[in-house]
Amino acid sequence: MNIPSEIISIVCNFLSPVDGSRLASCNKWLQDCIPVPLRIRILSRHAEIAQSFFVSEPATGRMLRHGESLQYRQPYFFWLYDNEHSQCVRLKRDFSIAGGHELALLVDQCTNGDRRRFQMLQVVYQANLDEQEEELIDETRREFIPWNQVVGLSIGGEIETDSRYANSKIRKLLSAVPGGLATSWQVTTATFGTAEEMIILPRSEEYDSIHRKASTALEIHPQSVFHCSFGKEKYYSARSLETGTLEFEREHTTIIKFEVWTENGYLIVLADNMDCSLAVPLMFDGTEKIAFEPLMELCYNMEPCYYFHEIRYYLAVSADKQSNSTISYSEGVRHCANNTFDPVKKCITIRCKSGDVPDMDIPNIPRDEDRIFSCVMIL
């Protein structure tokens, strides 16, 4: 029985790109019905990213097909399909490092209704063009990039947004920095140098060199609910952790597990290794909505306030205690003039400054010991 090509196209909308490619490879007729997508590899002088990527145009969402080429200064999404979590993940900046961020794979949204977090890649340097030739490139025509040629790749966001979402238009170049055990893929500089020399190839083509390159697989990280301090602190809920894992080792990085609930106009935080909880008055400098995350929404809108810095200090002490520190938060804070300590509840309350009044209209969200949040802190 012949199946109309229109039905095949509809069915393919429910398949992952990988499964669609496998179906297309079954016979010639299916190949004509299901265009084979382009998949590219990214290589530096001494290493390559182990995964290969699909390429999409941000404006239309169209996937580039096998046989097409990238265009100079044209923004693209580089992405792949994560079979373990049944999701598409994109090449993005994530954890903060000196001068910028490291590269990882993340989803755009945890769940429908979440704020989308776009970052795009562009070829912004070509080895065979000098500055005068670059200026002559017709922006409306956009020249195609030959494969197997040294280029520079920039990464950045597409919209201006709150700094706590790490999605700004600031663009920096992809760098491959050799390390002790593996190459570190980073986005830390706007200056094109040896570490920023990249080669883009279709997955089916071989690199034109006799030198074997070390292969580094990028990690699939969860999408944080929000971050602060230029990405040095990232906050996650159990729901956001469904999109990736925090089970990795990083130098100078600590993961703090903690609970949050509200009571009578106060936000209460309890880290799993602390000798007391902390209560801070609910005061807001923002009204941003975060879908499905009422407690993280409160934290996010409090973050610019003075009182949230008390939470950050509390979590920093928790991070220090993981390193066998002898710091006692309760001993150091409870004797301050503006704080009170309840020895029964083992809770330190940060009292309001003169003129401040807690928001008593916030409903109480009772404690749930199974509702755990995580903070990744770059120390």
Side-chain angles (χ1 to χ4, degrees), residues 8 12 20-37 65-66:
I8 293 295
C12 285
S21 298
R22 290 171 179 166
L23 180 60
S25 65
C26 292
N27 60 49
K28 182 64 170 65
W29 180 76
L30 285 173
Q31 288 178 17
D32 295 335
C33 294
I34 309 172
V36 178
R65 300 180 179 182
H66 180 73

PDB file of all heavy atoms in Angstrom, residues 8 12 20-37 65-66:
ATOM      1  N   ILE A   8       3.486  10.955   5.562  1.00  0.00           N
ATOM      2  CA  ILE A   8       4.847  10.721   6.055  1.00  0.00           C
ATOM      3  C   ILE A   8       5.391  11.986   6.708  1.00  0.00           C
ATOM      4  O   ILE A   8       6.001  11.950   7.779  1.00  0.00           O
ATOM      5  CB  ILE A   8       5.774  10.283   4.904  1.00  0.00           C
ATOM      6  CG1 ILE A   8       5.371   8.896   4.389  1.00  0.00           C
ATOM      7  CG2 ILE A   8       7.225  10.255   5.372  1.00  0.00           C
ATOM      8  CD1 ILE A   8       5.554   7.783   5.384  1.00  0.00           C
ATOM      9  N   CYS A  12       6.545  12.443  10.649  1.00  0.00           N
ATOM     10  CA  CYS A  12       7.906  12.849  10.999  1.00  0.00           C
ATOM     11  C   CYS A  12       7.924  13.987  12.008  1.00  0.00           C
ATOM     12  O   CYS A  12       8.919  14.179  12.716  1.00  0.00           O
ATOM     13  CB  CYS A  12       8.673  13.255   9.747  1.00  0.00           C
ATOM     14  SG  CYS A  12       9.157  11.831   8.755  1.00  0.00           S
ATOM     15  N   GLY A  20      13.968  10.417  12.557  1.00  0.00           N
ATOM     16  CA  GLY A  20      13.559  10.801  11.211  1.00  0.00           C
ATOM     17  C   GLY A  20      14.630  10.484  10.188  1.00  0.00           C
ATOM     18  O   GLY A  20      14.342  10.014   9.087  1.00  0.00           O
ATOM     19  N   SER A  21      15.906  10.722  10.566  1.00  0.00           N
ATOM     20  CA  SER A  21      17.015  10.406   9.658  1.00  0.00           C
ATOM     21  C   SER A  21      17.114   8.898   9.417  1.00  0.00           C
ATOM     22  O   SER A  21      17.387   8.454   8.300  1.00  0.00           O
ATOM     23  CB  SER A  21      18.329  10.934  10.232  1.00  0.00           C
ATOM     24  OG  SER A  21      18.286  12.334  10.363  1.00  0.00           O
ATOM     25  N   ARG A  22      16.896   8.120  10.474  1.00  0.00           N
ATOM     26  CA  ARG A  22      16.942   6.660  10.314  1.00  0.00           C
ATOM     27  C   ARG A  22      15.836   6.169   9.399  1.00  0.00           C
ATOM     28  O   ARG A  22      16.044   5.291   8.562  1.00  0.00           O
ATOM     29  CB  ARG A  22      16.823   5.998  11.690  1.00  0.00           C
ATOM     30  CG  ARG A  22      18.050   6.181  12.569  1.00  0.00           C
ATOM     31  CD  ARG A  22      17.795   5.706  13.982  1.00  0.00           C
ATOM     32  NE  ARG A  22      18.972   5.856  14.822  1.00  0.00           N
ATOM     33  CZ  ARG A  22      18.956   5.774  16.143  1.00  0.00           C
ATOM     34  NH1 ARG A  22      17.807   5.546  16.785  1.00  0.00           N
ATOM     35  NH2 ARG A  22      20.067   5.925  16.833  1.00  0.00           N
ATOM     36  N   LEU A  23      14.648   6.759   9.549  1.00  0.00           N
ATOM     37  CA  LEU A  23      13.540   6.374   8.681  1.00  0.00           C
ATOM     38  C   LEU A  23      13.836   6.748   7.238  1.00  0.00           C
ATOM     39  O   LEU A  23      13.559   5.972   6.307  1.00  0.00           O
ATOM     40  CB  LEU A  23      12.253   7.051   9.159  1.00  0.00           C
ATOM     41  CG  LEU A  23      10.976   6.753   8.365  1.00  0.00           C
ATOM     42  CD1 LEU A  23      10.656   5.264   8.392  1.00  0.00           C
ATOM     43  CD2 LEU A  23       9.801   7.564   8.905  1.00  0.00           C
ATOM     44  N   ALA A  24      14.422   7.921   7.025  1.00  0.00           N
ATOM     45  CA  ALA A  24      14.727   8.368   5.666  1.00  0.00           C
ATOM     46  C   ALA A  24      15.747   7.478   4.977  1.00  0.00           C
ATOM     47  O   ALA A  24      15.773   7.382   3.751  1.00  0.00           O
ATOM     48  CB  ALA A  24      15.227   9.811   5.702  1.00  0.00           C
ATOM     49  N   SER A  25      16.581   6.812   5.758  1.00  0.00           N
ATOM     50  CA  SER A  25      17.637   5.977   5.163  1.00  0.00           C
ATOM     51  C   SER A  25      17.140   4.599   4.732  1.00  0.00           C
ATOM     52  O   SER A  25      17.901   3.820   4.170  1.00  0.00           O
ATOM     53  CB  SER A  25      18.789   5.816   6.167  1.00  0.00           C
ATOM     54  OG  SER A  25      18.350   5.094   7.310  1.00  0.00           O
ATOM     55  N   CYS A  26      15.848   4.324   4.961  1.00  0.00           N
ATOM     56  CA  CYS A  26      15.329   2.985   4.653  1.00  0.00           C
ATOM     57  C   CYS A  26      15.240   2.733   3.149  1.00  0.00           C
ATOM     58  O   CYS A  26      15.545   1.636   2.685  1.00  0.00           O
ATOM     59  CB  CYS A  26      13.952   2.789   5.288  1.00  0.00           C
ATOM     60  SG  CYS A  26      13.987   2.722   7.094  1.00  0.00           S
ATOM     61  N   ASN A  27      14.793   3.707   2.391  1.00  0.00           N
ATOM     62  CA  ASN A  27      14.730   3.539   0.938  1.00  0.00           C
ATOM     63  C   ASN A  27      14.715   4.897   0.248  1.00  0.00           C
ATOM     64  O   ASN A  27      14.580   5.935   0.890  1.00  0.00           O
ATOM     65  CB  ASN A  27      13.516   2.698   0.509  1.00  0.00           C
ATOM     66  CG  ASN A  27      12.196   3.316   0.918  1.00  0.00           C
ATOM     67  OD1 ASN A  27      11.965   4.503   0.689  1.00  0.00           O
ATOM     68  ND2 ASN A  27      11.326   2.519   1.535  1.00  0.00           N
ATOM     69  N   LYS A  28      14.837   4.869  -1.099  1.00  0.00           N
ATOM     70  CA  LYS A  28      14.953   6.107  -1.873  1.00  0.00           C
ATOM     71  C   LYS A  28      13.691   6.951  -1.776  1.00  0.00           C
ATOM     72  O   LYS A  28      13.754   8.183  -1.683  1.00  0.00           O
ATOM     73  CB  LYS A  28      15.250   5.754  -3.337  1.00  0.00           C
ATOM     74  CG  LYS A  28      15.437   6.970  -4.252  1.00  0.00           C
ATOM     75  CD  LYS A  28      16.658   7.779  -3.847  1.00  0.00           C
ATOM     76  CE  LYS A  28      16.992   8.834  -4.886  1.00  0.00           C
ATOM     77  NZ  LYS A  28      15.943   9.849  -5.004  1.00  0.00           N
ATOM     78  N   TRP A  29      12.521   6.323  -1.774  1.00  0.00           N
ATOM     79  CA  TRP A  29      11.276   7.096  -1.732  1.00  0.00           C
ATOM     80  C   TRP A  29      11.160   7.871  -0.428  1.00  0.00           C
ATOM     81  O   TRP A  29      10.773   9.037  -0.412  1.00  0.00           O
ATOM     82  CB  TRP A  29      10.077   6.154  -1.908  1.00  0.00           C
ATOM     83  CG  TRP A  29       8.759   6.878  -1.880  1.00  0.00           C
ATOM     84  CD1 TRP A  29       8.224   7.626  -2.883  1.00  0.00           C
ATOM     85  CD2 TRP A  29       7.830   6.921  -0.798  1.00  0.00           C
ATOM     86  NE1 TRP A  29       7.012   8.145  -2.503  1.00  0.00           N
ATOM     87  CE2 TRP A  29       6.746   7.723  -1.223  1.00  0.00           C
ATOM     88  CE3 TRP A  29       7.797   6.372   0.484  1.00  0.00           C
ATOM     89  CZ2 TRP A  29       5.650   7.980  -0.409  1.00  0.00           C
ATOM     90  CZ3 TRP A  29       6.702   6.627   1.284  1.00  0.00           C
ATOM     91  CH2 TRP A  29       5.646   7.415   0.847  1.00  0.00           C
ATOM     92  N   LEU A  30      11.541   7.225   0.693  1.00  0.00           N
ATOM     93  CA  LEU A  30      11.496   7.911   1.979  1.00  0.00           C
ATOM     94  C   LEU A  30      12.527   9.037   2.043  1.00  0.00           C
ATOM     95  O   LEU A  30      12.285  10.075   2.657  1.00  0.00           O
ATOM     96  CB  LEU A  30      11.727   6.923   3.119  1.00  0.00           C
ATOM     97  CG  LEU A  30      10.556   5.994   3.452  1.00  0.00           C
ATOM     98  CD1 LEU A  30      10.977   4.955   4.478  1.00  0.00           C
ATOM     99  CD2 LEU A  30       9.359   6.787   3.960  1.00  0.00           C
ATOM    100  N   GLN A  31      13.663   8.858   1.396  1.00  0.00           N
ATOM    101  CA  GLN A  31      14.663   9.921   1.361  1.00  0.00           C
ATOM    102  C   GLN A  31      14.117  11.159   0.661  1.00  0.00           C
ATOM    103  O   GLN A  31      14.413  12.286   1.045  1.00  0.00           O
ATOM    104  CB  GLN A  31      15.925   9.441   0.644  1.00  0.00           C
ATOM    105  CG  GLN A  31      16.735   8.435   1.443  1.00  0.00           C
ATOM    106  CD  GLN A  31      17.955   7.959   0.676  1.00  0.00           C
ATOM    107  OE1 GLN A  31      18.370   8.588  -0.293  1.00  0.00           O
ATOM    108  NE2 GLN A  31      18.515   6.844   1.102  1.00  0.00           N
ATOM    109  N   ASP A  32      13.302  10.944  -0.383  1.00  0.00           N
ATOM    110  CA  ASP A  32      12.709  12.076  -1.095  1.00  0.00           C
ATOM    111  C   ASP A  32      11.635  12.752  -0.244  1.00  0.00           C
ATOM    112  O   ASP A  32      11.433  13.973  -0.335  1.00  0.00           O
ATOM    113  CB  ASP A  32      12.097  11.612  -2.421  1.00  0.00           C
ATOM    114  CG  ASP A  32      13.155  11.095  -3.390  1.00  0.00           C
ATOM    115  OD1 ASP A  32      14.320  11.516  -3.247  1.00  0.00           O
ATOM    116  OD2 ASP A  32      12.811  10.269  -4.254  1.00  0.00           O
ATOM    117  N   CYS A  33      10.917  11.964   0.584  1.00  0.00           N
ATOM    118  CA  CYS A  33       9.863  12.521   1.426  1.00  0.00           C
ATOM    119  C   CYS A  33      10.424  13.208   2.670  1.00  0.00           C
ATOM    120  O   CYS A  33       9.851  14.183   3.159  1.00  0.00           O
ATOM    121  CB  CYS A  33       8.887  11.423   1.863  1.00  0.00           C
ATOM    122  SG  CYS A  33       7.941  10.695   0.529  1.00  0.00           S
ATOM    123  N   ILE A  34      11.524  12.657   3.168  1.00  0.00           N
ATOM    124  CA  ILE A  34      12.096  13.159   4.422  1.00  0.00           C
ATOM    125  C   ILE A  34      13.494  13.686   4.145  1.00  0.00           C
ATOM    126  O   ILE A  34      14.449  12.905   4.045  1.00  0.00           O
ATOM    127  CB  ILE A  34      12.158  12.044   5.486  1.00  0.00           C
ATOM    128  CG1 ILE A  34      10.802  11.350   5.631  1.00  0.00           C
ATOM    129  CG2 ILE A  34      12.627  12.606   6.827  1.00  0.00           C
ATOM    130  CD1 ILE A  34      10.838  10.127   6.502  1.00  0.00           C
ATOM    131  N   PRO A  35      13.654  14.978   3.991  1.00  0.00           N
ATOM    132  CA  PRO A  35      14.990  15.530   3.706  1.00  0.00           C
ATOM    133  C   PRO A  35      15.985  15.174   4.813  1.00  0.00           C
ATOM    134  O   PRO A  35      15.671  15.273   5.996  1.00  0.00           O
ATOM    135  CB  PRO A  35      14.737  17.046   3.654  1.00  0.00           C
ATOM    136  CG  PRO A  35      13.274  17.177   3.390  1.00  0.00           C
ATOM    137  CD  PRO A  35      12.623  16.015   4.055  1.00  0.00           C
ATOM    138  N   VAL A  36      17.167  14.760   4.427  1.00  0.00           N
ATOM    139  CA  VAL A  36      18.203  14.423   5.393  1.00  0.00           C
ATOM    140  C   VAL A  36      18.814  15.713   5.941  1.00  0.00           C
ATOM    141  O   VAL A  36      19.287  16.551   5.163  1.00  0.00           O
ATOM    142  CB  VAL A  36      19.293  13.548   4.757  1.00  0.00           C
ATOM    143  CG1 VAL A  36      20.396  13.236   5.768  1.00  0.00           C
ATOM    144  CG2 VAL A  36      18.689  12.258   4.224  1.00  0.00           C
ATOM    145  N   PRO A  37      18.805  15.924   7.252  1.00  0.00           N
ATOM    146  CA  PRO A  37      19.334  17.180   7.789  1.00  0.00           C
ATOM    147  C   PRO A  37      20.861  17.219   7.769  1.00  0.00           C
ATOM    148  O   PRO A  37      21.531  16.187   7.790  1.00  0.00           O
ATOM    149  CB  PRO A  37      18.812  17.185   9.230  1.00  0.00           C
ATOM    150  CG  PRO A  37      18.654  15.744   9.576  1.00  0.00           C
ATOM    151  CD  PRO A  37      18.246  15.057   8.308  1.00  0.00           C
ATOM    152  N   ARG A  65      19.622  21.379   5.434  1.00  0.00           N
ATOM    153  CA  ARG A  65      19.624  20.027   4.879  1.00  0.00           C
ATOM    154  C   ARG A  65      21.026  19.612   4.473  1.00  0.00           C
ATOM    155  O   ARG A  65      21.909  20.445   4.261  1.00  0.00           O
ATOM    156  CB  ARG A  65      18.687  19.947   3.667  1.00  0.00           C
ATOM    157  CG  ARG A  65      17.236  20.282   3.993  1.00  0.00           C
ATOM    158  CD  ARG A  65      16.374  20.193   2.772  1.00  0.00           C
ATOM    159  NE  ARG A  65      14.978  20.500   3.071  1.00  0.00           N
ATOM    160  CZ  ARG A  65      13.999  20.456   2.171  1.00  0.00           C
ATOM    161  NH1 ARG A  65      14.281  20.136   0.906  1.00  0.00           N
ATOM    162  NH2 ARG A  65      12.758  20.743   2.526  1.00  0.00           N
ATOM    163  N   HIS A  66      21.213  18.307   4.380  1.00  0.00           N
ATOM    164  CA  HIS A  66      22.476  17.758   3.913  1.00  0.00           C
ATOM    165  C   HIS A  66      22.786  18.330   2.536  1.00  0.00           C
ATOM    166  O   HIS A  66      21.945  18.346   1.638  1.00  0.00           O
ATOM    167  CB  HIS A  66      22.388  16.235   3.833  1.00  0.00           C
ATOM    168  CG  HIS A  66      23.661  15.595   3.358  1.00  0.00           C
ATOM    169  ND1 HIS A  66      24.777  15.508   4.160  1.00  0.00           N
ATOM    170  CD2 HIS A  66      23.998  15.042   2.166  1.00  0.00           C
ATOM    171  CE1 HIS A  66      25.746  14.898   3.494  1.00  0.00           C
ATOM    172  NE2 HIS A  66      25.297  14.608   2.279  1.00  0.00           N
TER     173      HIS A  66
END
